[in-house]
């Protein structure tokens, strides 16, 4: 077990698909600059955006790591993969590598990543244990896994399946998952961001 791999958990309450916000609005309320800092997205870094969706973070990671870095944009949905491939063909985006993952495997190269970012997707992963094991193997020693998730203390549903259906997850479940897979949780922050357009 690699003892110096780190998991940095940032807790997002609540989360919304990026289509509900103008990008500049989302950058502000989701504190994107601070997320990129937490990931360690610096020039030359090799990072992955797992559950990349529309590519909101993929694009920002691509800019942050620069021409010498690399961003693996991972998703399993055909529509998301088509969108990500379109983004990767844009000028100046040759540092984006689109990966068609599987439900239990992000299909990332072993011992190669400085960081992995998962935004509003971890709670959807039914094969979360296999996914975390493979992400751990893909990280370099000292690498970081950053989770931004709708951890909602007011909706403590009885089972993980019920939470998945409600698009939330209990923070304790996620922390236990991470620690079981060999990660050290070095930071948790509840209430990381709140969408001003979401009514709660």
């Amino acid at each position: 077990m690699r003892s110096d791999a780190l998991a940095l958990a940032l807790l997002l309450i609540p989360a919304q698909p990026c289509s509900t916000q103008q990008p500049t609005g989302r950058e502000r309320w989701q504190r994107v600059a601070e997320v990129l800092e937490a990931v360690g997205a610096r020039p030359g870094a090799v990072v992955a955006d797992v559950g990349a969706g529309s590519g909101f973070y993929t694009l920002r990671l691509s800019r942050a790591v620069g021409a010498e870095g690399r961003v693996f944009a991972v998703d399993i949905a055909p529509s998301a993969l088509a969108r990500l491939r379109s983004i990767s063909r844009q000028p100046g985006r040759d540092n984006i590598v689109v990966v068609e993952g599987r439900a239990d495997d992000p299909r990332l190269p072993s011992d190669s990543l400085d960081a992995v970012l998962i935004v509003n997707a971890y709670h959807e992963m039914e094969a979360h244990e296999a996914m975390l094991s493979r992400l751990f193997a893909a990280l370099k020693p000292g690498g970081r896994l950053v989770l931004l998730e709708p951890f909602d203390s007011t909706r403590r549903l009885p089972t993980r399946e019920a939470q998945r259906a409600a698009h939330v997850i209990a923070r304790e479940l996620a922390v236990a998952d991470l620690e079981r897979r060999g990660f050290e949780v070095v930071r948790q922050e509840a209430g990381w961001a709140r969408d001003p357009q979401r009514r709660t």
Side-chain angles (χ1 to χ4, degrees):
M1 179 180 297
R2 190 182 310 153
S3 61
D4 55 350
L6 305 179
L8 175 61
L10 307 179
L11 311 187
L12 172 61
I13 306 173
Q16 286 277 41
C18 65
S19 60
T20 64
Q21 285 285 322
Q22 293 300 317
T24 53
R26 182 179 177 185
E27 285 181 355
R28 184 170 51 254
W29 70 260
Q30 206 169 91
R31 296 161 61 181
V32 169
E34 293 172 70
V35 172
L36 297 180
E37 182 180 349
V39 170
R42 60 191 181 281
V46 180
V47 301
D49 182 8
V50 175
S54 68
F56 178 86
Y57 273 100
T58 298
L59 277 167
R60 285 149 183 82
L61 288 165
S62 170
R63 284 197 292 265
V65 303
E68 300 303 313
R70 181 170 293 178
V71 180
F72 291 93
V74 182
D75 213 290
I76 62 173
S79 58
L81 291 164
R83 168 73 177 145
L84 294 166
R85 289 184 182 111
S86 175
I87 289 171
S88 72
R89 290 191 290 267
Q90 294 173 2
R93 298 287 170 250
D94 359 358
N95 62 355
I96 297 173
V97 178
V98 179
V99 179
E100 182 175 358
R102 296 195 300 255
D104 62 349
D105 188 354
R107 300 174 76 185
L108 293 166
S110 297
D111 199 25
S112 61
L113 301 178
D114 297 300
V116 174
L117 174 65
I118 304 177
V119 178
N120 197 24
Y122 181 71
H123 67 275
E124 302 281 358
M125 296 178 182
E126 294 186 35
H128 55 276
E129 292 190 359
M131 182 65 74
L132 287 178
S133 291
R134 291 185 169 105
L135 290 174
F136 189 93
L139 286 165
K140 298 174 184 176
R144 293 179 176 184
L145 170 60
V146 179
L147 296 180
L148 276 74
E149 279 293 317
F151 295 84
D152 194 336
S153 60
T154 67
R155 302 178 70 187
R156 295 184 181 278
L157 299 171
T159 66
R160 192 180 197 111
E161 291 71 26
Q163 291 183 53
R164 185 181 301 120
H167 304 288
V168 296
I169 189 169
R171 180 172 27 164
E172 297 82 2
L173 275 180
V175 169
D177 291 347
L178 290 163
E179 290 178 340
R180 246 191 335 270
R181 292 299 127 199
F183 290 95
E184 177 188 357
V185 179
V186 296
R187 180 178 168 193
Q188 300 179 49
E189 187 166 340
W192 173 262
R194 186 171 295 278
D195 182 344
Q197 290 189 357
R198 176 161 178 156
R199 295 174 183 169
T200 57

